[in-house]
Amino acid sequence: MNELILELKSIKRCFGKITALDDFHFNVKPGEWVSIMGPSGSGKTTLLNILACLDTPTSGDYLLDGINVASFNEDQRTVIRREKIGLVFQQFHLIPYLTALENILLAQYYHSVIDEDEAMAVLVRVGLEHRATHLPSQLSGGEQQRVCVARALINQPAIILADEPTGNLDEENEAIVLKFFKDLHQQGKTIILVTHNPEIGQEGDRIIYLHHGKIVEKVYF
Amino acid sequence: MFFRLLEDSVLRNRRRKVLAVVTIAIAATLMSVLAHISIDIGNKMAKELNSYETNIRILPKSEGVSLFLGGVDYNPLKGRFFLNEKDLPRIKGIFWGNNIAGFSPFLTVPVKITGYDAIPVPLVGTFFQRQIGDVDGSQSFETGIRFIKPYWTIQGAWPDDLQQNNALVGKALADALNLGVGQSLQVTPDKGAPVVLQITGILSGDDTYDHAVMVPIETVQNLAGLPDGVESIDVSAMSVPESALSRKARTHPDSLDVQEYDLWYCTSYVSSIAHQLEEAIPNALVKPVWHVAETQGAVINKIQLLMFVMTLVIFIAAGLGVATIIQTSILERSGEIALMKAIGAANHHVALLFVAEAILLGVIGGVCGYLLGMGFSQIIGFDLFTSTIAPSPIVGPVVGTYAVAISLTGTVFGLTRIRRISPTAALHGRI
């Protein structure tokens, strides 16, 4: 096993004359939970795009599970994303015409071969087996986010990347979803979570604070 | 999972999908009509054109010796040899016998009309409408001048072939001699007794016979003392347009190799039909009427070119229409596409969905278009050719392929947009 599951070396990302990330260094160990915080425009989105292999850095290296993916083209990044990364979105983003179970199967379909039993098992894990045939519109916000987590887990990714996963939830559902992340963390999953909520940020092993594309503070717990 | 996605993709935005199917179906309908007509037009046009002019003339071989001096034919054999009426069934016995739409023999003698002795007129013997048995007598065939000159206008009635004194008088002659239907007419040949004829009809619409009297051929054969004698036969044969091969056969028949000869012989060119007639009828010289054959070829080629251009224009127009619909659909679904890409879909996964949808819409549009086109082509067939257009088994697959090609062409333009949709839009809520 690599000592680091994820390593950013001298990452720079420019959009025209604007530098969103500048000489950015960042490491994550396997099983670590890192919370990323910072004000709007601090570079969180750019960092998450690069970490999720949705974008490529202008310069620098990005080693994901030992593979330098910085210069990968779109197709290569798609492959590495579906193999290594599970994404959880703030606004859930489930396909509205697919049931809860089908939304999970879709991620599995793009990854390998669909296995309904396996998808159902993940749905059981997030406590939504009784909602398997329900459309997203028939689920509460918390339930939709749990389906989104189940979809992120189905392909057993090396890293879970979550962008404000509780940002659209009430307190009760926030607690439920947060508990899943804690459980996942305890089970040894690597989690990188972007949040504005310091209380959620403190659930991780450490918090990094961004400002103007640089890490300005690191807090370890 | 793919079919689940496809099912929803097809059923969603039904109005737009119906619009796409209608666009494809309209194009496929036109293609179906054009294909049906284009395939059948050779025969139909040939039949139509042949109804205005016969395209083959059979003469005694002796007529082939041309000896024109100062515009006068000094052929010493002219008028001395005749074809035999008994050989007429052989015309239908050739390889392309089914393409013979009709024929009529002719024998002409000059006569003088009693009371108008100063005016010699041609008395033309022919078949008006009669049954002819084939060579072995097993089948009969109805033919005569009524079938090869359908554009003739008869005031009164056609002569009856069984009534040897029935006569048809050309309009100019009837006007000049003040003759009318029902009147009698006595004609006298140079040698022989006069014959009284009964005028059953006045012929108009053909300058060749405007000053002639036409009677059943036996009447002229009796007057001329030439039982079974025929001096020419006009044949109306359905033929395909002339090609380079048939022109080669026409100008240099000996230059054809065995394969070319077989192909030419087994194709219903007017020249190959003429060749077969010459083989079948003893002592016959068969001459295609080239200007008719060439007119047919030119008209059919131009119509087919026009149809090809129309097909292309329709393809482009429908393709652009479908492209617009698909692009709008992709734009509308860009959020969903971004999400699919974010959770691991490659561009080809998404593209395949749209391609499959395009094929499905193309097939539906193609089937609708084929059926509509078959119906319309029948209406057009009746309107233009007063006959049905035979459904061709090749048209279905051609129209289906055409419809799917339109749909796919339209979709391919949209697929470039799929690649440009960034999955980051899904991650950051911009969907």
Side-chain angles (χ1 to χ4, degrees):
Chain A
M1 183 184 253
N2 292 309
E3 200 171 314
L4 296 172
I5 185 121
L6 183 156
E7 189 178 7
L8 297 186
K9 291 179 183 174
S10 302
I11 289 290
K12 187 173 186 177
R13 182 65 173 104
C14 301
F15 298 98
K17 290 178 181 175
I18 297 167
T19 303
L21 291 176
D22 191 15
D23 195 24
F24 198 93
H25 293 263
F26 177 55
N27 299 328
V28 180
K29 291 176 187 166
E32 195 179 11
W33 176 338
V34 181
S35 299
I36 301 170
M37 298 185 71
S40 295
S42 60
K44 299 193 303 293
T45 301
T46 305
L47 175 60
L48 208 61
N49 283 348
I50 290 171
L51 291 176
C53 292
L54 296 169
D55 194 9
T56 49
T58 308
S59 64
D61 293 322
Y62 172 18
L63 300 177
L64 177 58
D65 213 5
I67 305 163
N68 191 349
V69 298
S71 57
F72 273 20
N73 63 27
E74 189 191 340
D75 292 336
Q76 290 170 313
R77 280 186 280 122
T78 300
V79 172
I80 202 90
R81 187 165 59 244
R82 66 179 172 229
E83 295 291 337
K84 305 275 184 191
I85 297 165
L87 288 171
V88 180
F89 307 100
Q90 180 180 3
Q91 288 164 343
F92 328 133
H93 296 318
L94 300 172
I95 304 279
Y97 54 85
L98 297 181
T99 64
L101 183 67
E102 287 170 340
N103 264 286
I104 298 166
L105 287 170
L106 184 64
Q108 202 179 30
Y109 165 68
Y110 292 136
H111 177 267
S112 49
V113 181
I114 60 168
D115 180 341
E116 211 164 299
D117 292 338
E118 198 179 336
M120 199 63 193
V122 180
L123 211 50
V124 169
R125 203 168 152 193
V126 296
L128 285 177
E129 66 275 20
H130 61 294
R131 298 294 225 171
T133 57
H134 288 216
L135 293 171
S137 59
Q138 297 167 318
L139 302 173
S140 70
E143 287 172 329
Q144 287 186 53
Q145 191 59 294
R146 281 146 73 187
V147 174
C148 189
V149 171
R151 182 178 62 190
L153 294 175
I154 186 68
N155 295 325
Q156 298 170 340
I159 304 167
I160 302 283
L161 283 176
D163 182 21
E164 297 265 15
T166 58
N168 274 0
L169 301 179
D170 55 29
E171 277 186 33
E172 189 185 345
N173 279 306
E174 182 181 290
I176 294 170
V177 170
L178 206 53
K179 185 177 177 305
F180 280 121
F181 279 96
K182 286 178 188 171
D183 290 347
L184 290 170
H185 184 225
Q186 279 178 358
Q187 289 159 18
K189 282 283 176 200
T190 306
I191 298 170
I192 299 174
L193 186 146
V194 172
T195 182
H196 280 105
N197 187 335
E199 286 178 22
I200 294 172
Q202 285 168 17
E203 296 290 343
D205 299 318
R206 60 178 161 127
I207 300 176
I208 60 165
Y209 290 93
L210 300 188
H211 197 69
H212 292 311
K214 288 180 180 292
I215 296 174
V216 291
E217 191 181 351
K218 298 175 184 175
V219 179
Y220 292 86
F221 300 102
Chain B
M1 178 50 66
F2 176 76
F3 292 104
R4 177 73 186 82
L5 291 171
L6 181 62
E7 177 194 351
D8 187 83
S9 185
V10 171
L11 294 179
R12 214 141 35 98
N13 284 325
R14 287 185 200 180
R15 256 174 58 185
R16 188 163 293 127
K17 300 294 155 52
V18 168
L19 195 63
V21 168
V22 168
T23 306
I24 296 164
I26 289 172
T29 301
L30 290 167
M31 176 64 185
S32 176
V33 169
L34 293 176
H36 273 113
I37 293 176
S38 186
I39 286 172
D40 215 27
I41 198 166
N43 287 341
K44 288 280 186 290
M45 285 295 294
K47 198 171 179 183
E48 193 70 11
L49 289 168
N50 288 351
S51 69
Y52 294 100
E53 197 68 72
T54 49
N55 52 359
I56 293 174
R57 179 157 294 161
I58 306 173
L59 299 165
K61 196 165 262 176
S62 57
E63 296 292 321
V65 183
S66 61
L67 191 58
F68 277 90
L69 290 172
V72 180
D73 188 358
Y74 290 100
N75 177 0
L77 303 176
K78 189 171 178 61
R80 292 180 59 186
F81 294 94
F82 295 88
L83 298 164
N84 192 331
E85 189 185 326
K86 288 192 171 63
D87 291 327
L88 289 179
R90 292 171 185 265
I91 293 174
K92 286 290 281 181
I94 63 168
F95 180 78
W96 286 110
N98 287 334
N99 280 39
I100 304 293
F103 59 84
S104 193
F106 295 93
L107 183 65
T108 305
V109 292
V111 294
K112 286 184 178 168
I113 299 173
T114 305
Y116 304 95
D117 290 350
I119 308 171
V121 295
L123 182 69
V124 182
T126 189
F127 287 179
F128 291 101
Q129 179 180 1
R130 65 175 74 181
Q131 291 286 128
I132 301 243
D134 62 9
V135 181
D136 58 12
S138 60
Q139 284 183 320
S140 65
F141 169 69
E142 196 167 38
T143 189
I145 206 157
R146 287 185 71 162
F147 297 95
I148 62 172
K149 307 281 185 186
Y151 57 92
W152 279 11
T153 305
I154 306 297
Q155 181 202 335
W158 284 92
D160 183 347
D161 276 298
L162 299 176
Q163 304 296 322
Q164 289 194 17
N165 65 340
N166 277 193
L168 201 60
V169 178
K171 180 138 191 354
L173 180 63
D175 288 345
L177 304 184
N178 203 21
L179 297 171
V181 175
Q183 284 185 272
S184 294
L185 185 69
Q186 190 177 55
V187 295
T188 311
D190 285 346
K191 296 171 190 171
V195 175
V196 177
L197 302 174
Q198 187 77 27
I199 301 173
T200 63
I202 306 295
L203 161 68
S204 53
D206 192 333
D207 291 346
T208 311
Y209 301 102
D210 227 13
H211 292 88
V213 177
M214 304 194 76
V215 292
I217 197 165
E218 291 81 0
T219 306
V220 181
Q221 287 168 342
N222 291 339
L223 284 175
L226 293 168
D228 294 329
V230 170
E231 66 186 3
S232 70
I233 306 163
D234 277 3
V235 180
S236 178
M238 286 185 285
S239 57
V240 298
E242 291 296 290
S243 68
L245 176 65
S246 67
R247 283 187 204 99
K248 186 178 176 185
R250 175 178 159 187
T251 50
H252 305 289
D254 297 335
S255 65
L256 298 181
D257 60 31
V258 176
Q259 276 186 329
E260 286 176 327
Y261 179 83
D262 284 347
L263 181 62
W264 170 73
Y265 193 89
C266 295
T267 306
S268 57
Y269 296 119
V270 69
S271 53
S272 59
I273 295 173
H275 177 75
Q276 290 166 25
L277 286 171
E278 208 162 73
E279 286 177 332
I281 301 172
N283 302 314
L285 172 72
V286 182
K287 288 183 170 178
V289 183
W290 288 115
H291 72 270
V292 175
E294 279 165 359
T295 303
Q296 284 174 7
V299 169
I300 290 164
N301 285 339
K302 278 179 182 164
I303 288 173
Q304 285 177 337
L305 178 67
L306 179 70
M307 287 180 172
F308 174 75
V309 171
M310 280 177 69
T311 305
L312 195 66
V313 170
I314 294 163
F315 185 93
I316 293 168
L320 287 174
V322 173
T324 308
I325 293 166
I326 296 290
Q327 290 228 16
T328 310
S329 176
I330 288 172
L331 264 179
E332 265 188 8
R333 297 174 63 181
S334 58
E336 182 188 326
I337 293 167
L339 176 61
M340 287 175 173
K341 291 171 86 166
I343 63 172
N347 284 315
H348 73 263
H349 283 121
V350 184
L352 192 64
L353 191 62
F354 282 91
V355 167
E357 188 178 327
I359 291 171
L360 196 62
L361 296 180
V363 168
I364 296 169
V367 169
C368 295
Y370 172 72
L371 294 174
L372 283 170
M374 204 155 73
F376 281 125
S377 59
Q378 297 310 319
I379 294 169
I380 292 168
F382 268 111
D383 195 42
L384 292 181
F385 307 116
T386 60
S387 66
T388 56
I389 302 276
S392 172
I394 191 72
V395 175
V398 166
V399 171
T401 308
Y402 181 77
V404 171
I406 287 173
S407 190
L408 282 177
T409 305
T411 305
V412 163
F413 283 108
L415 293 184
T416 54
R417 193 168 284 275
I418 290 174
R419 186 164 263 281
R420 293 206 297 270
I421 294 173
S422 167
T424 55
L427 187 60
H428 304 297
R430 294 195 294 272
I431 60 173

